[in-house]
Amino acid sequence: MDCQDLPDHPAAAGLAARRFADALAVHALLAHTARLEATLAPTAGLEALFAVEQALDLAWPAAAPACEMIWATEAAPQTRTPTLALRAFDEAGRLLLAQAYRRGGLKHG
């Protein structure tokens, strides 16, 4: 799983989710996506969670696939755990794409 850096504001989480959906589209996987999983670190804040949800909803031309939003309840060591992890699965549960984003940013203030 590739880990990319995010800027230091909640809207960056939405931008990351949009880029994730764009990557699915580039690889012709958007239509094959049956389930999405988004895991957000607790330090990111509620605004970031809403931004991710909205970006994923808007990314699909028809109804978005089932989406499981996970807001972690305890902080993990920042050196190992990304702030935002996104994964897409097909109908059979096979992983189509996974991306992770870490921050200097996404800090709930």
Side-chain angles (χ1 to χ4, degrees):
M1 181 164 36
D2 184 26
C3 199
Q4 302 170 30
D5 290 325
L6 287 173
D8 195 12
H9 54 81
L15 179 59
R18 180 61 202 188
R19 287 182 179 161
F20 179 73
D22 290 346
L24 284 167
V26 165
H27 297 295
L29 298 172
L30 210 57
H32 299 288
T33 302
R35 184 171 67 85
L36 295 167
E37 199 177 86
T39 304
L40 197 63
T43 56
L46 199 53
E47 295 91 353
L49 184 71
F50 291 146
V52 168
E53 185 175 33
Q54 181 181 28
L56 292 175
D57 282 346
L58 294 174
W60 269 259
C67 186
E68 182 178 353
M69 303 292 289
I70 303 164
W71 195 14
T73 57
E74 58 182 64
Q78 288 196 9
T79 56
R80 297 183 58 226
T81 304
T83 300
L84 173 62
L86 295 161
R87 299 184 337 155
F89 299 89
D90 69 7
E91 195 72 30
R94 292 178 295 239
L95 181 65
L96 299 174
L97 182 66
Q99 290 183 342
Y101 304 86
R102 65 178 168 257
R103 64 155 271 280
L106 288 184
K107 188 174 187 179
H108 182 61

